[in-house]
Amino acid sequence: MRKLVKFLVLFIAITTMISCSSYKYLYGYATEDSYKRVSKSLEYVMKKEELFLVFTKDYENSKVKVVQNEAVLFEGDISNNKNGMAKVVRVNINSEVTVDFEGIKNPLKITVEQMRLYKHIYLEKDENKIVVEFNDNHKDLGGSMPPNQ
């Protein structure tokens, strides 16, 4: 009986910690073959070692800071436009990326391993949580991706 009580307390504690996290991660299906296919189709738009970091939903004058290898890629307020995107930032897949959101205490850290097989990371704001979706496919948000810089 005592073991059961300890197990239930542990289970409730773990469940509470997981539900209190500010980030929810979703991973799309990716294989090396799909990565090569997507890389080939995006070759004319972006470099092989880049991916799109796309801020997609419920950003209304939200302060965001994107840092890659201690260099600030973007810092400012973002808001969704009519095509559903708030901001698109290109990041290098061979670097660690940190994203700070206003109102969220812990920054989002994206590792090289998380980025390696994907070409898009969608960051959707859902009240006080951020849904992070790693995906190989372009989501149709009503607009196009930015041109190559």
Side-chain angles (χ1 to χ4, degrees):
M1 183 69 170
R2 196 166 221 178
K3 287 184 179 183
L4 179 62
V5 172
K6 285 182 181 180
F7 174 76
L8 288 175
V9 169
L10 181 64
F11 178 75
I12 290 171
I14 290 173
T15 304
T16 302
M17 286 189 309
I18 290 172
S19 65
C20 290
S21 174
S22 299
Y23 304 103
K24 177 181 177 183
Y25 294 93
L26 303 172
Y27 292 91
Y29 180 73
T31 63
E32 193 66 32
D33 182 49
S34 68
Y35 175 75
K36 287 177 185 172
R37 195 169 358 107
V38 169
S39 294
K40 189 69 174 166
S41 66
L42 291 174
E43 199 172 72
Y44 69 97
V45 177
M46 63 193 301
K47 297 176 185 162
K48 190 184 237 182
E49 65 277 349
E50 290 181 329
L51 64 78
F52 290 121
L53 188 63
V54 185
F55 297 86
T56 62
K57 186 178 172 190
D58 292 336
Y59 293 97
E60 205 55 48
N61 291 325
S62 301
K63 291 188 187 309
V64 175
K65 181 178 180 182
V66 179
V67 179
Q68 175 179 287
N69 291 339
E70 306 201 16
V72 177
L73 296 179
F74 173 80
E75 183 173 16
D77 293 338
I78 59 173
S79 294
N80 286 88
N81 56 23
K82 62 183 177 184
N83 68 7
M85 284 190 286
K87 181 75 180 161
V88 178
V89 179
R90 291 170 186 256
V91 296
N92 188 304
I93 64 172
N94 298 315
S95 336
E96 301 258 335
V97 174
T98 303
V99 184
D100 290 312
F101 296 93
E102 178 182 39
I104 297 179
K105 187 168 68 171
N106 298 325
L108 170 65
K109 295 186 186 290
I110 304 172
T111 65
V112 173
E113 291 77 23
Q114 289 174 309
M115 294 188 283
R116 191 157 282 147
L117 290 177
Y118 301 98
K119 281 297 189 183
H120 301 91
I121 299 175
Y122 296 98
L123 302 172
E124 177 181 312
K125 195 171 183 184
D126 185 16
E127 293 182 22
N128 290 333
K129 284 194 175 216
I130 302 293
V131 178
V132 183
E133 181 180 347
F134 295 86
N135 202 326
D136 245 357
N137 301 315
H138 170 67
K139 280 178 142 178
D140 186 17
L141 300 171
S144 61
M145 290 295 179
N148 197 3
Q149 298 175 6

